[in-house]
Amino acid sequence: MRIDVIRPGELGPAEVTAWRAMQRATPHLANPFLSPDFVIAMGEVSAGARVAVISEGSGPAGFFPFERHSGGVGTALGAWVSLCQGVVHAPGAEFGAEALLRGCGLHVWEFGCLVGGQPWFQPFEVLRQEAVVLDLAGGYPAYLEGLRERSPKFLKSTLYKERKLGRDAGELTFDFAVRDEEQFRLLRRWKSEQYLRMGRPDRFGRPWVVELAERLHAIDTADFAGPLSMLYCDGRPVAGHFGLRSDTTLVGWFPAYDPAFARYSPGLIQHLRMAEAAAATGIRSMDLGVGTGSEYKEALRSRGEPVTEGCVRRRSAGAAAHWLRSAPVRRVRQFILDTPALYGAADRAMKRYGGLRTRMRAR
């Protein structure tokens, strides 16, 4: 096994073609966060972005994107915003985690949303969760019928609110792929305000995240795009979503809505309209990310897909030093996630803190 570490922008056409072929040959790797487009865009906003090109015989056998930090510590590429991570590989390829990290010059690699089917990392998983997936392979009517069977009250309530919103505020329209930059800025403002209310860190408070999103929004090809979807009432935007899609998979990333319309649940209406539009374009599944603590995701789901969190460490002094720094924090976090009462208390505390920040900002 040969490993060559390069910057994402150094990927050539032949390597990108091989990368896409691997994604098509292995459906669970079709997630757009594993695409060369996302990796190349990350390389334009992160100085530490790298790709390990893994070769066996005459050509590439896999691609391992990661972000390099000091002390030989690596993380998943764009870990703060990425919703799918891992090695993109040819069918049947086999790797050793220790050899892979050594070839990348890393003592440690941390991951937070590892895709399934990565046995070389499995011994290092410490937290296993499920991403919520909407199955659109049979078309939107089939998905809606399944939703009616699984979550009848949820669907009935959402459709009622959709009709009421139309009566109260004007005709509802939807656009799956909005190119207007002003509306993109509006969605980001809604999302930043939502983070503030919830007491969460504002992703769009980081300039590199804004730049990344703008670069991805500008891409629109058959293999990859960053679609901005918007729901309108009488021409006024009331909810939206910015996500990423491959040729078969749409990933939910940044949903938000105008709080003035909150009582109509416009975000839920927008998700159903988006699923319908995505299915019409040939998208076979929508991945909404981990559903822990999210009632609307659990209501919408067709099935779950495993995602894991963990940390690969080589047998080295650098890896041992990293363990001493990070293990206690990771254990506390996992304990909270595994204890519903503690998770609920932490969530309520963050929302109270968010409410306080919102009121202070309004003064």
Side-chain angles (χ1 to χ4, degrees), residues 43-54:
E44 294 168 341
V45 301
S46 169
R50 298 290 186 275
V51 178
V53 182
I54 309 164

Side-chain angles (χ1 to χ4, degrees), residues 125-332:
E125 297 171 355
V126 297
L127 179 62
R128 190 175 183 86
Q129 302 182 85
E130 279 196 341
V132 170
V133 176
L134 281 60
D135 186 353
L136 304 176
Y140 182 71
Y143 165 74
L144 197 64
E145 184 59 32
L147 181 61
R148 185 173 284 109
E149 294 176 2
R150 293 186 302 272
S151 307
K153 292 182 179 179
F154 168 83
L155 180 59
K156 182 178 180 180
S157 172
T158 302
L159 294 178
Y160 167 77
K161 290 178 180 179
E162 181 178 21
R163 293 191 298 270
K164 183 169 176 54
L165 177 58
R167 290 194 302 268
D168 293 351
E171 180 185 5
L172 291 180
T173 55
F174 179 81
D175 192 339
F176 181 64
V178 178
R179 308 309 307 171
D180 183 72
E181 290 301 320
E182 183 60 34
Q183 292 188 50
F184 194 25
R185 285 191 289 271
L186 174 63
L187 177 81
R188 299 201 303 266
R189 178 167 62 81
W190 284 344
K191 195 65 183 177
S192 292
E193 292 170 352
Q194 180 188 8
Y195 285 134
L196 180 67
R197 292 193 303 271
M198 296 178 67
R200 264 63 171 183
D202 179 8
R203 296 296 195 269
F204 291 119
R206 302 284 181 89
W208 72 266
V209 176
V210 174
E211 183 180 352
L212 174 66
E214 289 176 341
R215 289 179 179 274
L216 294 171
H217 182 229
I219 303 173
D220 187 8
T221 68
D223 297 302
F224 181 94
L228 168 67
S229 300
M230 297 295 288
L231 177 71
Y232 305 92
C233 276
D234 196 26
R236 174 181 174 177
V238 296
H241 170 269
F242 176 64
L244 302 181
R245 69 145 181 87
S246 64
D247 57 343
T248 61
T249 303
L250 173 66
V251 178
W253 202 11
F254 293 113
Y257 59 85
D258 185 341
F261 294 87
R263 65 192 179 99
Y264 300 100
S265 300
L268 297 180
I269 299 168
Q270 195 274 339
H271 270 75
L272 290 179
R273 292 288 187 103
M274 183 167 64
E276 181 178 22
T281 68
I283 295 295
R284 299 179 63 82
S285 64
M286 275 176 56
D287 184 334
L288 299 185
V290 173
T292 303
S294 176
E295 293 183 5
Y296 87 87
K297 288 185 181 182
E298 290 301 326
L300 289 168
R301 69 180 284 161
S302 301
R303 67 175 189 273
E305 293 289 346
V307 294
T308 58
E309 178 181 324
C311 184
V312 185
R313 294 186 178 89
R314 290 171 50 199
R315 297 181 182 88
S316 65
H322 179 269
W323 182 88
L324 289 172
R325 293 194 303 270
S326 63
V329 174
R330 190 181 296 276
R331 287 177 178 175
V332 169

